[in-house]
Amino acid sequence: DAGVIQSPRHEVTEMGQEVTLRCKPISGHNSLFWYRQTMMRGLELLIYFNNNVPIDDSGMPEDRFSAKMPNASFSTLKIQPSEPRDSAVYFCASSSRVELANYGYTFGSGTRLTVV
Amino acid sequence: GENVEQHPSTLSVQEGDSAVIKCTYSDSASNYFPWYKQELGKRPQLIIDIRSNVGEKKDQRIAVTLNKTAKHFSLHITETQPEDSAVYFCAAVEYGNKLVFGAGTILRVKS
């Protein structure tokens, strides 16, 4: 398995533009998590899905952020409009109840977002 | 919900010495406690974990201990090496599959 795949690896965009981050979880994992990492706030959980259904989006900073999981193999995190304070590394992670019990989460390589 | 506190925020040790990182959690129902290592520019990776029915677990130079009564768990690294330099995160499961992470500890091993 190729692991959790995120794209793009790096994104530089201008303030006000729409940004879409993508994630493909490990096949068979039924939970998907979006995290944001910054020096000031560490690893923050933005939203997570179980079986493609959003379970907890309390970490989504504001209405500019939205996430979807249309099927078991794909998820997107969208920021519209983007602001400089959104600059961070965004990680996607996946797991299953069995995987969590044995291996924890598997993280993707992350997307480094810079909003100028 | 679950709250995880991690100390210290930075730790410098001499190569060959031991390093200890401590975490406390708030939810007595939490039953799974993983530790992640994140090297600069890389993803967090699981290095060791412990479940609430176990008090200690070892894997070569790393070990984790858990005190359920006090609701704290610790990571111990012995004979530290320069490649141990990284950010370490503890975590606790809140419910379902949701992990809550500590703020992280920057470990520097000086050679």
Side-chain angles (χ1 to χ4, degrees):
Chain A
D1 199 322
V4 177
I5 300 173
Q6 289 187 247
S7 65
R9 289 296 306 275
H10 303 274
E11 176 81 33
V12 180
T13 190
E14 291 186 349
M15 182 174 62
Q17 295 298 307
E18 177 180 293
V19 176
T20 300
L21 311 182
R22 297 172 177 79
C23 177
K24 176 179 166 53
I26 291 175
S27 177
H29 283 188
N30 65 336
S31 296
L32 184 140
F33 308 83
W34 283 100
Y35 282 87
R36 178 171 68 176
Q37 186 174 37
T38 60
M39 288 294 293
M40 292 300 294
R41 300 175 70 90
L43 268 170
E44 299 176 275
L45 177 66
L46 301 177
I47 186 172
Y48 85 97
F49 297 83
N50 274 355
N51 298 316
N52 313 338
V53 176
I55 301 300
D56 183 353
D57 65 354
S58 59
M60 296 286 262
E62 47 198 276
D63 292 345
R64 298 185 297 107
F65 285 69
S66 62
K68 293 182 180 179
M69 192 164 186
N71 56 62
S73 59
F74 184 64
S75 177
T76 59
L77 178 67
K78 187 175 294 186
I79 309 172
Q80 166 63 17
S82 57
E83 296 182 3
R85 59 193 168 120
D86 301 331
S87 298
V89 179
Y90 291 82
F91 285 103
C92 175
S94 72
S95 182
S96 65
R97 186 171 294 278
V98 173
E99 281 287 314
L100 182 65
N102 294 287
Y103 306 112
Y105 289 178
T106 301
F107 282 84
S109 297
T111 294
R112 182 174 295 277
L113 174 64
T114 303
V115 184
V116 298
Chain B
E2 177 67 275
N3 182 51
V4 177
E5 295 193 355
Q6 184 171 347
H7 301 280
S9 56
T10 60
L11 179 60
S12 289
V13 299
Q14 203 65 36
E15 182 178 358
D17 288 350
S18 295
V20 180
I21 303 170
K22 299 181 180 180
C23 290
T24 60
Y25 62 98
S26 60
D27 187 353
S28 56
S30 293
N31 59 6
Y32 176 67
F33 307 92
W35 285 88
Y36 285 80
K37 175 183 180 183
Q38 187 179 26
E39 297 175 350
L40 190 63
K42 302 283 183 64
R43 75 190 80 185
Q45 293 197 295
L46 181 70
I47 56 171
I48 195 168
D49 56 16
I50 191 166
R51 286 163 187 80
S52 57
N53 58 348
V54 175
E56 182 176 359
K57 183 177 178 180
K58 285 178 115 173
D59 183 2
Q60 299 182 342
R61 295 186 298 107
I62 60 173
V64 58
T65 59
L66 171 66
N67 183 326
K68 285 176 57 181
T69 303
K71 290 190 282 188
H72 67 70
F73 56 112
S74 301
L75 178 71
H76 305 253
I77 306 174
T78 59
E79 300 172 22
T80 53
Q81 301 168 4
E83 52 264 37
D84 294 329
S85 296
V87 181
Y88 291 81
F89 293 95
C90 63
V93 67
E94 182 172 84
Y95 53 82
N97 284 351
K98 180 179 175 180
L99 285 176
V100 177
F101 285 86
T105 296
I106 300 172
L107 174 64
R108 295 190 183 94
V109 180
K110 297 175 286 186
S111 55

